[in-house]
Each structure stands twice: as C-alpha cells, then as structure tokens.
Amino acid sequence: LLEPALTVISVNIEGLSDAKISIISEMCKNNKCHILCLQETHTDENSNIPIIPGMNLVIQRPHPKHGSAIFAKPGLKINIAQMSDDNN
C-alpha cells in the first residue's frame, strides 16, 4: 500500500492571536496537515507556549519580534528536532 503524501503548511503568522490560532487549526484539519511551520510568532521566553489545537508542538524559537514554531500531527514520529544559533 502506498503511504499518503506528507502535507506541510508554512505560514508567516505575523503574531499569534486567538483568531489566527483558530484559523490555522481549521486549515490544518481541512488539509490533513502533517507538519506546520509558523514564522514570526512574536512569542518570547515569557510568552505562553504556542498551542495549535489538533497539532503537537515539536520545537519553538522564542523571539519577541520574530520567533518560529514547528508543529506535527499527533502520532507522527519525530526522530529529532534541534535549534541552531548559526546565522541567528
């Protein structure tokens, strides 16, 4: 049997808000997303951990002006996730 294709969604979110989280969650559900990459989350070390309903946080890079986060569909096996400070 063929494995289903891996669906990856990448969004420059320009700051997380409850409304954007709801839209992103629905988008992931409707498109059967496996991996979600968010840029410009605008979350820093003092912010709440970003939550996207229906997705699990894999790793985040907090930054008050930039920030990013990667999420995966529950049950998707992630072998490793690392952050690098090379070139910021």
Side-chain angles (χ1 to χ4, degrees):
L1 295 172
L2 293 175
E3 291 288 324
L6 187 69
T7 302
V8 178
I9 296 175
S10 180
V11 179
N12 182 328
I13 199 71
E14 295 185 33
L16 284 174
S17 67
D18 289 342
K20 290 177 185 178
I21 287 170
S22 179
I23 291 167
I24 293 290
S25 178
E26 278 300 309
M27 184 172 61
C28 287
K29 180 181 171 186
N30 293 339
N31 291 286
K32 299 179 182 170
C33 178
H34 294 90
I35 302 289
L36 171 65
C37 304
L38 297 180
Q39 297 81 42
E40 302 219 10
T41 58
H42 300 185
T43 56
D44 62 19
E45 291 86 2
N46 299 317
S47 301
N48 291 331
I49 294 172
I51 295 173
I52 303 295
M55 302 296 284
N56 292 335
L57 180 65
V58 174
I59 194 166
Q60 75 166 347
R61 179 171 177 90
H63 190 281
K65 186 176 179 183
H66 307 294
S68 59
I70 299 174
F71 295 83
K73 180 179 178 178
L76 187 64
K77 183 179 177 185
I78 306 297
N79 290 330
I80 190 168
Q82 289 182 291
M83 205 173 10
S84 172
D85 288 325
D86 290 349
N87 295 318
N88 198 21

